[in-house]
Amino acid sequence: MSEENYKIEKAHCNQCLHETRHFVVALRDHSGSAPANEHDPYCEYEVSWRTVYKMLECCGCENVSLEKKFYFSEYDEIEEEYYPPKVSRQTPKWLDQLPEEWYELLKEIYVALHANSRRLAIMGTRTLLDLYMNEQVGDVGGFAKKLQVLEDSGQISKPNKSTLEAALEVGHAASHRGHKAKTSEVNQVIDIAENLLQGYLLTSGAESLRASAPPRA
């Protein structure tokens, strides 16, 4: 596409994972108005609304998305929606190697993350960590007990235990105290969980590597 033929504006790109220049491939603008309710103290004014749809194509990777913005005279903020929803991080390439229950839960966590449902993403990650610990040591008690058994058995180090405790504490706060973590904090928690799960897969893969290696002469 030529920049001479299309208007260009900045928008989030799900492939580039940050704001980039986009061609405005198509635009539709629908608006209307109506008299205010006669019982409204400002009934002499009109209520107005406007919905703008834009088909956007990234100038770099050519990813296409639809942006919808809704303006309403009675709202202080503009409502924005994107199709597909904004992606803040890519799912790991090894996702489909996980046990089915973990795989499905991690996919749901990403759906919550893309919808900016941070509490749901954190609570889902807390559940995912619990599933991992039950798989490794069994349902031996609460989170603290499971972490201690993991450390005592040599499956995690003391620094790793401390890291997991921090991630779980954010999960407890979201589940029991309605805490809404910052986006950067949510990503940290998911990083911790994914590093643990990738380590699980690497350990399993190492056994296959060892078995496939020819013995020394």
Side-chain angles (χ1 to χ4, degrees):
M1 291 185 179
S2 170
E3 294 190 14
E4 298 176 358
N5 300 326
Y6 291 91
K7 179 182 176 183
I8 292 179
E9 63 179 48
K10 289 189 175 181
H12 177 82
C13 175
N14 277 354
Q15 291 294 330
C16 301
L17 293 180
H18 59 85
E19 191 175 72
T20 64
R21 287 156 53 88
H22 281 67
F23 293 112
V24 181
V25 178
L27 184 147
R28 295 293 183 271
D29 191 335
H30 303 286
S31 60
S33 63
N37 189 298
E38 61 180 3
H39 302 296
D40 193 298
Y42 302 100
C43 60
E44 69 272 17
Y45 298 103
E46 283 191 331
V47 174
S48 60
W49 56 88
R50 180 186 178 202
T51 305
V52 179
Y53 298 90
K54 291 179 184 177
M55 185 68 73
L56 303 171
E57 180 179 341
C58 178
C59 296
C61 71
E62 300 181 345
N63 183 65
V64 176
S65 60
L66 176 67
E67 174 192 86
K68 174 187 175 184
K69 289 188 177 182
F70 178 67
Y71 308 79
F72 187 52
S73 58
E74 308 306 295
Y75 293 169
D76 293 330
E77 298 182 354
I78 300 169
E79 291 185 358
E80 294 185 2
E81 293 181 64
Y82 291 87
Y83 307 92
K86 285 185 178 181
V87 172
S88 55
R89 62 186 283 162
Q90 297 282 12
T91 55
K93 295 179 180 178
W94 41 262
L95 177 65
D96 59 356
Q97 300 175 42
L98 292 172
E100 185 176 1
E101 190 175 18
W102 302 5
Y103 166 79
E104 291 179 351
L105 181 52
L106 189 53
K107 285 206 307 182
E108 290 180 16
I109 290 167
Y110 269 82
V111 170
L113 187 64
H114 300 335
N116 199 32
S117 300
R118 284 172 272 165
R119 292 187 184 94
L120 293 179
I122 286 291
M123 287 187 278
T125 306
R126 174 177 177 263
T127 301
L128 184 59
L129 290 173
D130 196 27
L131 289 174
Y132 166 84
M133 290 189 288
N134 284 342
E135 167 70 20
Q136 297 300 97
V137 301
D139 192 2
V140 295
F143 287 102
K145 177 64 175 177
K146 292 172 185 175
L147 286 172
Q148 190 60 55
V149 174
L150 281 171
E151 183 187 4
D152 292 343
S153 63
Q155 296 184 64
I156 61 172
S157 65
K158 189 170 184 178
N160 285 341
K161 177 190 173 189
S162 178
T163 300
L164 285 169
E165 284 174 337
L168 287 168
E169 185 54 40
V170 177
H172 300 333
S175 299
H176 303 299
R177 301 189 290 279
H179 173 61
K180 189 174 184 179
K182 298 176 183 177
T183 300
S184 60
E185 294 170 340
V186 174
N187 280 313
Q188 282 182 306
V189 170
I190 295 177
D191 283 341
I192 291 168
E194 288 184 352
N195 285 335
L196 188 70
L197 297 181
Q198 188 175 25
Y200 168 88
L201 292 175
L202 290 173
T203 299
S204 301
E207 296 300 322
S208 298
L209 282 175
R210 188 176 291 110
S212 66
R216 293 182 180 181

